[in-house]
Amino acid sequence: MDIFLQQLLNALSLGGTYALLALGLAVVFSIIGLINFAHGELMTTAGYVMAFALAAALPFPLAIILAVAAPVLLAVVMERVAFRPVRGASGTTLLLTSFAVSAILRVLFQNFISARPVPVPMPAALSGVINIGPLHLGIIQSISIATTALMLAGLTLFLNRTVAGRAMRAAAEDFAIVRLMGLRANGVVATAFAISGLLAGVAGLLWVAQRGSVDPLMGFLPVLKAFIAAIIGGLGSLTGAVAGGFLLGFIEVMLQAWLPEAWLPYRDAVAIMLVIAVLLFRPQGLLARKTVLKL
Amino acid sequence: MRPGMTLSLTVLALGLAAPAPAEDLKIGLATAQTGALAPYDQPSLAGFQMRVDEINAAGGIAGKYPIKLIAKDTRSDAAQTALVAQELVDEGVQIVITPCDADPSIAAGMVTQAAGIPAFSFCATTPTLPLAVGDYMFGNYPADNVQAAMLAEYAIGQGYKTAYILTSPDTAYTLKLPKYFGEAFTAKGGTLLGEGTYAMGQQDFSAEVTKIAAMNPKPDVIMTAAYEPDFPALMRQLRGAGVTTPVLGSDGIDSPTTFAMGGLVEGVVFSTAGFATEGSPLAAFNAKYKAKTGEEPNTVYIANGYDLGTVIDAAVTKAGSLDPKAIRDAIASLTDVQGVTGAISYAGTKGMPLRSVALVRITGGKRELVKQGVPAPADVPAP
């Protein structure tokens, strides 16, 4: 029983990171119908800024602020330079554009920073562990769970209580009507990218805290996971992305824990099969939006 | 991806300006400038380039064969590596260098073997690589089974009776090295208590660590060939779960990231290709590299790439000609070439060099030499 509870805690922590990432993808997708595969490079950027800030001996809180601000800025620039010119183009065009942005950034990281991983020496205090009865919870894991909860609560407040947030929700329903109401499309889209950059920055820092280094290709795998999570949850649905993230984390941890030894190398295949099974019963994802996307 | 741009930049950077006289030794590099293998191939190339520059400054190999490098990016893709190898063979190179991984090296090796051109992998460690390709394929790094034998010998010497290995089927290195360790450890009287697996790059070991923490009896030692980002995540989660079992690792963790982890990696022992004791050739090389580039070498792959230049220099000098077959035969007969990482021999091997392995213990964020040398051939598990 203890072991099960421990694994549940593990699943919560992993799922939380997936949820943050999937949410970042979903925020942008819900507005302009783009799956931004360069989301991972936003995470990588957060990692590099953190590494350089710590190497420059900046105070830890300032390093965190810079590391989260950088991907926000990069996301907005990305939108302005790469995605605005193709806004409204077919899904394929958008997807390929995001692949191109991602590939260009990775090659730039490899050739102008370093192909080798750059260490990110996190304070030793973060390596500690909290014991709750028989359960162990790493400090990074707990921060990860707490941050996810905080980000989700903050985003919910933003979307429900502010004009910009309402405009974003409305834009997700029907962009054309929002523009007819006199809201500037560019502003709404830029806000969506800024939020996705913020989510990527936070998730990137949590990711880097676990691994202790940042390398140019770091962003690919988490975005793949986030993509899967967003699909299970129902593309374009924000709550769905969160649910999908937690479900994927739960499936992965539980399979790793309870699959027979001989099956373990196939864990990811089994996990993906379960995802396909979910989609067979709910082709639109768990919490798909009822409206059809207009863009 | 914009490989064209990177490629031309690289070719420019390699400084291939001078027109080649007839007696140039042409070496083709089918290695990765971009993609997943770039972290290994790029530093290897930097070291290799440094050695080649020195040889050319001294008038070429044996004073008469200047080296001309032709580099083409493989984008870390096996099919692209084979394609690039074919292009290089068509350009008439006499030696081909392949990436730091067995799979693309085998793909390229199929081309070079058929063309009768000797090929070296920069730092692939899989001992079956030359066996899979043929007698024109050579390694340039201590093989997985040799590293494993050194680690097993150390483990037994420490009095460890039981071990747990953690493998990932994602690469030959992460799968086979711990398995070779298991073989060598069992052969010396140890017992393997179990084997865990992980998926590379996911940096989530929580489920696996919870299993290890619940093991009864606990293993005396945990061995893994995981490297970053997996290794730091593993150590963090393992120590976080209160598991204090000693951990053995391999050369993949010989990286600044590992040493930046503080108390988490205290006491970890790993195998690597060399150790810079004071006054050693490696220490001299590191100083020279720093003087030239202004940076400390952050990986042993740089020195290892440098040594490949020395090996080729010795082989071509011995062959006394630029005929690829003569060069191959000369490589296969090399003994005790003095590289900066130690003596390197190919004579009597099946293509993987016999070269020394260093065992390093991490103490207070610094490296401490445990042992350096070559294990007894009988102790090395068969590839």
Side-chain angles (χ1 to χ4, degrees):
Chain A
M1 190 61 202
D2 284 350
I3 292 191
F4 177 76
L5 281 179
Q6 179 70 53
Q7 299 290 20
L8 203 61
L9 216 51
N10 296 340
L12 195 63
S13 157
L14 182 67
T17 313
Y18 288 165
L20 280 184
L21 283 165
L23 198 55
L25 288 186
V27 164
V28 168
F29 184 86
S30 67
I31 312 271
I32 60 167
L34 157 80
I35 289 287
N36 185 9
F37 272 93
H39 198 69
E41 279 59 50
L42 295 173
M43 289 174 72
T44 314
T45 308
Y48 276 123
V49 172
M50 189 73 188
F52 293 137
L54 289 179
L58 293 184
F60 193 64
L62 181 63
I64 289 188
I65 293 170
L66 287 178
V68 174
V72 173
L73 193 70
L74 182 61
V76 173
V77 171
M78 219 183 245
E79 192 273 329
R80 184 69 196 82
V81 174
F83 297 123
R84 194 175 293 181
V86 292
R87 192 186 300 162
S90 75
T92 326
T93 310
L94 292 172
L95 194 64
L96 286 179
T97 310
S98 85
F99 274 128
V101 171
S102 161
I104 290 171
L105 285 173
R106 266 183 279 151
V107 171
L108 288 179
F109 291 147
Q110 275 190 331
N111 288 290
F112 289 99
I113 299 180
S114 170
R116 303 278 312 160
V118 177
V120 185
M122 287 291 183
L126 289 183
S127 308
V129 70
I130 303 167
N131 293 312
I132 314 159
L135 302 183
H136 304 287
L137 189 59
I139 293 198
I140 292 177
Q141 276 184 318
S142 355
I143 294 179
S144 179
I145 295 174
T147 315
T148 309
L150 211 66
M151 293 294 289
L152 293 183
L155 194 63
T156 313
L157 274 182
F158 171 77
L159 288 176
N160 289 315
R161 297 288 162 83
T162 65
V163 176
R166 289 206 185 96
M168 279 184 56
R169 276 167 51 221
E173 293 285 327
D174 193 325
F175 206 171
I177 297 289
V178 171
R179 301 182 70 175
L180 287 176
M181 293 293 170
L183 283 163
R184 285 176 53 239
N186 286 344
V188 174
V189 174
T191 313
F193 269 91
I195 291 176
S196 88
L198 176 69
L199 291 165
V202 172
L205 285 186
L206 294 173
W207 197 255
V208 165
Q210 280 290 355
R211 55 187 277 149
S213 71
V214 48
D215 73 59
L217 310 180
M218 179 189 98
F220 177 72
L221 193 98
V223 162
L224 200 62
K225 299 279 182 183
F227 182 55
I228 297 171
I231 299 263
I232 321 178
L235 261 179
S237 155
L238 300 187
T239 26
V242 174
F246 279 110
L247 181 63
L248 184 64
F250 182 80
I251 290 177
E252 285 192 357
V253 168
M254 290 306 162
L255 286 178
Q256 182 75 35
W258 312 111
L259 268 186
E261 200 84 359
W263 277 68
L264 276 182
Y266 307 104
R267 185 198 73 165
D268 283 356
V270 177
I272 298 290
M273 274 188 332
L274 288 178
V275 169
I276 293 174
V278 170
L279 291 179
L280 281 178
F281 290 100
R282 306 276 314 213
Q284 300 294 316
L286 291 175
L287 301 167
R289 289 186 317 170
K290 288 176 193 75
T291 48
V292 179
L293 216 73
K294 291 275 165 58
L295 274 169
Chain B
M1 186 88 66
R2 311 252 300 265
M5 189 183 76
T6 342
L7 195 71
S8 49
L9 282 177
T10 316
V11 172
L12 276 179
L14 289 177
L16 309 173
E23 287 286 81
D24 270 358
L25 170 67
K26 283 196 272 182
I27 302 179
L29 289 133
T31 57
Q33 311 294 329
T34 55
L37 289 174
Y40 314 96
D41 285 1
Q42 277 194 10
S44 303
L45 177 54
F48 184 63
Q49 175 76 50
M50 193 169 151
R51 184 72 186 114
V52 166
D53 288 346
E54 286 175 11
I55 293 171
N56 284 345
I61 296 176
K64 54 181 174 178
Y65 302 124
I67 301 173
K68 185 184 171 195
L69 296 184
I70 306 173
K72 296 188 186 238
D73 185 18
T74 64
R75 307 201 298 259
S76 303
D77 177 73
Q80 181 68 15
T81 311
L83 192 76
V84 161
Q86 186 63 58
E87 286 175 16
L88 291 167
V89 166
D90 292 346
E91 286 180 38
V93 300
Q94 286 104 347
I95 295 175
V96 168
I97 317 261
T98 67
C100 272
D101 181 38
D103 296 339
S105 292
I106 289 172
M110 291 300 153
V111 175
T112 52
Q113 178 74 26
I117 289 173
F120 288 94
S121 163
F122 258 149
C123 62
T125 55
T126 311
T128 48
L129 165 63
L131 306 178
V133 175
D135 56 349
Y136 277 78
M137 185 84 224
F138 296 95
N140 177 47
Y141 203 81
D144 290 341
N145 49 351
V146 177
Q147 293 192 43
M150 283 289 278
L151 287 163
E153 192 187 319
Y154 166 81
I156 293 291
Q158 289 296 103
Y160 301 145
K161 302 267 184 298
T162 56
Y164 184 84
I165 57 174
L166 200 52
T167 61
S168 169
D170 295 350
T171 70
Y173 175 78
T174 50
L175 176 67
K176 297 288 283 192
L177 207 160
K179 287 201 189 271
Y180 288 133
F181 171 82
E183 266 179 57
F185 186 69
T186 321
K188 288 202 166 263
T191 312
L192 214 51
L193 283 189
E195 177 185 340
T197 60
Y198 64 97
M200 282 173 69
Q202 308 207 345
Q203 62 193 47
D204 178 54
F205 287 88
S206 55
E208 202 54 54
V209 160
T210 304
K211 276 197 254 175
I212 295 175
M215 276 176 85
N216 192 16
K218 289 216 186 323
D220 291 337
V221 64
I222 297 169
M223 195 274 150
T224 180
Y227 50 97
E228 58 192 301
D230 304 309
F231 184 77
L234 167 69
M235 290 311 287
R236 214 176 285 282
Q237 292 166 26
L238 197 63
R239 298 303 185 228
V243 180
T244 51
T245 311
V247 172
L248 298 180
S250 53
D251 66 292
I253 64 171
D254 190 356
S255 140
T257 309
T258 308
F259 292 92
M261 286 173 64
L264 285 174
V265 291
E266 185 69 22
V268 168
V269 171
F270 64 90
S271 53
T272 186
F275 188 89
T277 45
E278 206 160 315
S280 67
L282 187 55
F285 168 79
N286 288 349
K288 187 163 70 173
Y289 182 84
K290 188 171 182 205
K292 188 160 184 264
T293 63
E295 283 168 30
E296 295 280 351
N298 56 5
T299 157
V300 76
Y301 299 126
I302 300 173
N304 194 63
Y306 184 89
D307 276 354
L308 180 56
T310 308
V311 165
I312 289 175
D313 181 55
V316 173
T317 307
K318 186 165 184 183
S321 88
L322 294 182
D323 172 44
K325 170 141 194 348
I327 298 177
R328 188 224 83 90
D329 293 345
I331 299 168
S333 70
L334 288 178
T335 47
D336 287 333
V337 176
Q338 291 303 318
V340 293
T341 58
I344 302 161
S345 299
Y346 285 90
T349 70
K350 290 198 167 72
M352 285 310 276
L354 207 58
R355 50 196 294 166
S356 80
V357 178
L359 286 187
V360 176
R361 182 184 295 112
I362 305 174
T363 315
K366 297 263 180 295
R367 48 183 76 215
E368 180 197 353
L369 183 64
V370 176
K371 193 179 177 206
Q372 190 159 23
V374 182
D379 291 347
V380 178

